[in-house]
Amino acid sequence: MKKFKKILKRTIVVILCVIIVLAAATYFYMKQPQFGALPEGKRLELIKNSPHYKDGKFRNLVEKPTISEGYSITGEIWEVLTKKFPRTEPVDVLPSVKTDLKALPRNRNVMVWFGHSSFFLQVDGIRILVDPVFSGRISPLPGKPSAYKGSDIYSVADMPEIDYMLLSHDHYDHLDYETVKALQPKVKYVLCGLGAGAHYERWGYTAKQIIEKDWGEHVDVKPGFTIFTENTHHDGGRGFKSSQALWLSFYIQSPGMNVYYSGDGGYSGRFKDIAAKHPPIDWAVMECGQYNKAWQSVHELPQEVALATTELKAKNLIPVHHSKFTLAKHPWDEPLKEITKYSRDKNYRLATPMIGEVVNLDDSAQMFRQWWKNVK
């Protein structure tokens, strides 16, 4: 009996030591700069004054479970660990175009998509860069998810001087430490949700560069040009403490045209509200990819993207959040196939540019081929 007690005691001591070592290793690992920073001081006090910050975190306008009824987090994890899902990433190199962004005349209204949700927008002489991720990966941990072959052809060096860099939310597939840190000298202003400025500040951005906004606010860029920060239904976080930085969508109103970027978020009545609040939308850039019925509340299914675009009364749709990283169980090209199907006979035009292809925003006759066909 005494021998058993000694063995048990030693086992408990070993287990406790392992737990302490793992906890210490995790603590110091999480101190690395790629995890960003939590808001504190004056920034935290400003956040606490927001009507959307309650009980220590930001909240959606209508709160609902992240996991849909009939599904569970453990069940989803078990499926990913034990099942293989077909064609979640392409075997072939994705077709793409390398456009010289620095050579684009300022008077051209264009958009260039870089895969997933990263894109360059030039409207009425203002250069905007949205959710840039150029490091080829979207995890602070080694390994996958990594960019598909052919999808990661742009780098920070390819970017021109940027007037406004927009951040929809602080998840790793939208806010990339390596990319954002390297971009700092090229960026005049960062426009992000309340709280997200803490990340940029830690990464070397000055207070003058950072503009943090709540839902329903705006930034006046120049006469007739305004960027509105609108709501979406999602969340945020880069560590153990979630939803400390607000997630946004953007309505960009310029003298020549109006552009809406949805950011990430599940379907809600906000699209009708945004359409009623603002002038007609010329181009809607909408999240369409990395979805699952299990987390439908925070990521739209393709049929919901089509419905939302209709409710926005947008003239043109560009689907994003696909074709670079695998974050869901669906085939890599399913978002494109599905949104093409659901966009038939709609009042908007579907535009499906290749990565790097110039979208001429003033050209209503520009044609886009279904580039994903015959890509294995």
Side-chain angles (χ1 to χ4, degrees):
M1 189 67 179
K2 287 183 178 179
K3 187 175 181 181
F4 174 76
K5 286 183 177 178
K6 284 183 179 180
I7 293 172
L8 180 62
K9 187 177 181 180
R10 287 175 184 171
T11 302
I12 292 171
V13 169
V14 169
I15 291 172
L16 287 174
C17 288
V18 170
I19 291 172
I20 290 169
V21 169
L22 287 174
T26 301
Y27 173 80
F28 287 108
Y29 188 79
M30 294 294 289
K31 289 292 184 181
Q32 293 183 94
Q34 62 261 41
F35 292 98
L38 293 172
E40 56 185 21
K42 291 182 179 179
R43 177 173 280 112
L44 183 57
E45 291 304 311
L46 181 64
I47 286 171
K48 289 179 178 179
N49 290 327
S50 169
H52 309 116
Y53 188 85
K54 301 173 186 176
D55 300 323
K57 63 190 296 187
F58 282 106
R59 309 279 176 166
N60 287 302
L61 293 181
V62 178
E63 294 197 57
K64 49 188 174 182
T66 299
I67 299 296
S68 305
E69 187 176 350
Y71 298 88
S72 68
I73 294 175
T74 53
E76 288 301 299
I77 293 173
W78 179 253
E79 259 205 341
V80 170
L81 292 175
T82 60
K83 290 185 179 180
K84 287 188 176 181
F85 299 93
R87 302 184 63 253
T88 54
E89 60 181 75
V91 176
D92 296 341
V93 176
L94 294 189
S96 59
V97 177
K98 190 67 181 283
T99 297
D100 185 352
L101 303 176
K102 297 174 183 176
L104 290 171
R106 280 264 190 174
N107 61 358
R108 282 187 65 186
N109 294 328
V110 299
M111 173 182 158
V112 177
W113 172 60
F114 306 122
H116 204 62
S117 292
S118 306
F119 62 94
F120 171 78
L121 182 69
Q122 183 172 275
V123 178
D124 284 297
I126 301 298
R127 287 173 170 167
I128 297 171
L129 184 61
V130 180
D131 289 355
V133 176
F134 301 136
S135 69
R137 49 195 303 275
I138 50 168
S139 172
L141 303 174
K144 292 188 175 183
S146 54
Y148 302 155
K149 290 178 290 186
S151 69
D152 201 35
I153 63 169
Y154 284 87
S155 68
V156 169
D158 297 316
M159 298 300 110
E161 298 295 312
I162 300 298
D163 297 304
Y164 286 84
M165 184 164 67
L166 309 187
L167 174 69
S168 63
H169 63 295
D170 68 350
H171 284 161
Y172 293 98
D173 58 321
H174 294 257
L175 178 58
D176 181 56
Y177 162 68
E178 292 178 30
T179 301
V180 164
K181 185 169 178 60
L183 276 168
Q184 189 270 335
K186 293 188 173 189
V187 173
K188 189 174 182 181
Y189 297 110
V190 170
L191 178 54
C192 58
L194 291 175
H199 302 312
Y200 292 97
E201 198 169 87
R202 183 180 182 187
W203 298 338
Y205 283 69
T206 66
K208 290 182 178 180
Q209 285 180 288
I210 302 167
I211 305 171
E212 294 175 78
K213 290 293 183 181
D214 205 337
W215 293 333
E217 296 188 332
H218 67 274
V219 173
D220 292 322
V221 175
K222 64 179 184 179
F225 199 124
T226 304
I227 303 176
F228 296 86
T229 52
E230 297 292 357
N231 77 88
T232 181
H233 187 99
H234 202 54
D235 57 18
R238 298 177 72 82
F240 295 124
K241 198 170 184 181
S242 66
S243 303
Q244 299 304 300
L246 189 60
W247 41 99
L248 304 173
S249 65
F250 297 94
Y251 179 94
I252 301 165
Q253 182 176 355
S254 79
M257 67 177 55
N258 304 313
V259 179
Y260 174 73
Y261 170 49
S262 69
D264 283 8
Y267 177 79
S268 73
R270 68 184 179 278
F271 301 107
K272 291 180 181 178
D273 296 337
I274 288 168
K277 180 179 178 181
H278 296 291
I281 295 169
D282 296 290
W283 290 87
V285 183
M286 302 288 284
E287 176 210 16
C288 183
Q290 318 318 314
Y291 50 77
N292 189 324
K293 286 188 177 180
W295 58 79
Q296 188 176 351
S297 68
V298 290
H299 287 286
E300 292 179 316
L301 304 179
Q303 57 266 43
E304 293 175 315
V305 176
L307 174 61
T309 307
T310 301
E311 292 179 344
L312 285 167
K313 300 179 181 178
K315 296 175 185 176
N316 302 277
L317 163 65
I318 298 178
V320 297
H321 210 245
H322 59 81
S323 300
K324 191 167 186 175
F325 303 106
T326 296
L327 296 171
K329 298 179 287 188
H330 59 68
W332 74 270
D333 54 355
E334 183 183 284
L336 288 161
K337 290 179 178 178
E338 290 291 287
I339 195 59
T340 300
K341 178 178 72 176
Y342 286 111
S343 294
R344 291 187 189 121
D345 302 320
K346 293 293 190 295
N347 292 329
Y348 61 82
R349 177 181 63 142
L350 175 65
T352 54
M354 286 187 292
I355 290 172
E357 182 179 1
V358 173
V359 179
N360 297 302
L361 300 177
D362 293 319
D363 184 0
S364 60
Q366 184 179 2
M367 302 294 291
F368 301 93
R369 68 184 183 90
Q370 295 183 354
W371 58 264
W372 59 93
K373 286 189 171 182
N374 302 319
V375 177
K376 296 178 182 177

